[in-house]
Amino acid sequence: MPPTPTPARTHHLLPTPAGRTHAVQQGRQGPLVLLLHGFPESWHAWRHQLPALAAAGYRVVAIDVRGYGRSSKPESVEAYRMLDLVADNVAVVEALGERSAVVVGHDWGATIAAVSALTRPDVFRAVGLLGVPYTPPGGPRPSEVFAGMGGEGAGEEFYVSYFQRPGRAEAEIEPDVRGWLAGFYAALSADTMPAPGAPDPHFVGAGGTLRERFPAGVLPSWLGERDLDVHAGEFERTGLTGALNRYRNMDRDWADLAGYAGAPITQPSLFIGGARDASLAWLADAVKAYPETLPGLCGSHVLDGCGHFVQQERPDETNRILIDWLASLPA
């Protein structure tokens, strides 16, 4: 028997509170799996998962989060608060004619997926988190936490605080989007990240830029020139403000989600991280707390020799873990 052909990939613009959300679908039948990318990427970050999950029998949809790619980009900073992104995800599910979905996210997408599952368990029946562990809402105000995260040198500023001031990061990135993205991806990937003891690329020196700490002239093995062109082309067209506005709403999210302080996610869940991803070091306590915060956890996988971009650095292993997990979920 000839092999079953992989379902075709189709693009859609779906009505959502953002305006319209660009969704890329592969597979027309089977349970719906919604994929959410992180910063600074697009649906294209899931290019390896779309065909694999579709071939495994799932209806897989990767979106451009509002502010990215071909999705709408509301003007106000406040339009990028977390609950607005959750509303977009619910609307995508409804626009596809479904009542529920499994939601999987990477980086910021992991946090958006987690809050989607937390606040709308009626829609999101399971959640997969890649790169960024789940931390329940609550605790100190985020801006105060990040302001207190100094680097090794005097006057160093954590990248999240750097991103929070409108216009500052745009002024660094937008004159050379492609070059900046190449350096950012290299700085967080296992095979190209700075050596131990080098200036930490997650911090900005006094009067400096993030880019001056990025590796130069090298691409990580998972990123081809053509894939870099895809990401750069989208941001050259849209600018970075929509993407960066996610960082500018963290205090608003803290207030919006106060009613969920300390709340666990009870649906079936999955975590996949890279052993060389700084997020795991910063959030080690969050991983230790999984028995309380993710009581439905089906598996927690830390991939040796992997950096931040889990599903792109290690696509085959990520696909296998995702497919096994999806197959284990209740119908």
Side-chain angles (χ1 to χ4, degrees):
M1 294 288 291
T4 302
T6 302
R9 184 179 296 170
T10 57
H11 293 253
H12 309 271
L13 289 172
L14 304 175
T16 62
R20 297 197 299 177
T21 292
H22 175 228
V24 181
Q25 175 176 305
Q26 201 152 358
R28 295 183 177 274
Q29 297 179 338
L32 177 62
V33 181
L34 181 64
L35 304 177
L36 309 177
H37 66 82
F39 176 90
E41 300 180 283
S42 70
W43 74 267
H44 191 69
W46 299 103
R47 62 194 177 279
H48 303 297
Q49 285 67 50
L50 283 161
L53 299 188
Y58 297 93
R59 184 185 187 191
V60 194
V61 175
I63 67 168
D64 285 335
V65 175
R66 72 163 65 188
Y68 287 83
R70 302 182 213 176
S71 291
S72 294
K73 287 163 277 296
E75 289 189 11
S76 70
V77 174
E78 294 82 0
Y80 295 83
R81 61 210 310 157
M82 184 64 71
L83 290 180
D84 289 331
L85 303 182
V86 171
D88 288 343
N89 295 339
V90 172
V92 166
V93 174
E94 294 173 348
L96 293 169
E98 301 283 355
R99 299 180 63 181
S100 68
V102 175
V103 61
V104 179
H106 170 255
D107 184 73
W108 260 122
T111 304
I112 299 167
V115 178
S116 297
L118 177 66
T119 61
R120 293 302 305 267
D122 56 316
V123 177
F124 300 104
R125 63 187 183 92
V127 58
L129 309 176
L130 276 62
V132 177
Y134 174 58
T135 56
R141 186 181 297 272
S143 60
E144 296 172 358
V145 173
F146 297 127
M149 291 183 65
E152 295 181 358
E156 290 194 333
E157 183 179 14
F158 193 48
Y159 79 99
V160 174
S161 296
Y162 180 71
F163 284 167
Q164 286 180 330
R165 185 186 302 173
R168 183 163 59 160
E170 289 93 327
E172 175 185 340
I173 302 168
E174 291 180 354
D176 178 20
V177 170
R178 192 179 192 278
W180 193 92
L181 290 177
F184 183 89
Y185 297 145
L188 275 63
S189 298
D191 59 341
T192 48
M193 63 177 53
D200 190 334
H202 298 94
F203 291 86
V204 180
T209 63
L210 280 171
R211 183 174 181 171
E212 64 192 27
R213 298 187 173 193
F214 294 165
V218 60
L219 291 181
S221 58
W222 60 266
L223 182 66
E225 297 282 354
R226 187 170 299 178
D227 293 317
L228 177 58
D229 285 342
V230 171
H231 288 306
E234 292 291 77
F235 287 115
E236 286 168 347
R237 181 174 57 80
T238 66
L240 270 293
T241 296
L244 289 164
N245 279 345
R246 175 83 293 276
Y247 293 91
R248 296 162 185 167
N249 278 281
M250 297 179 76
D251 282 355
R252 294 186 184 93
D253 299 336
W254 177 79
D256 289 344
L257 297 169
Y260 293 91
I265 294 174
T266 58
Q267 298 97 307
S269 56
L270 173 75
F271 177 73
I272 311 174
R276 300 192 64 193
D277 187 348
S279 297
L280 261 67
W282 298 330
L283 297 172
D285 288 343
V287 175
K288 293 177 183 177
Y290 278 169
E292 291 77 37
T293 61
L294 293 177
L297 186 67
C298 302
S300 180
H301 306 264
V302 177
L303 308 186
D304 289 338
C306 183
H308 180 66
F309 300 98
V310 179
Q311 79 272 33
Q312 297 176 89
E313 291 187 52
R314 302 285 278 277
D316 293 341
E317 195 166 355
T318 299
N319 291 347
R320 177 185 58 77
I321 293 169
L322 285 172
I323 290 168
D324 288 348
W325 173 64
L326 289 167
S328 75
L329 297 176

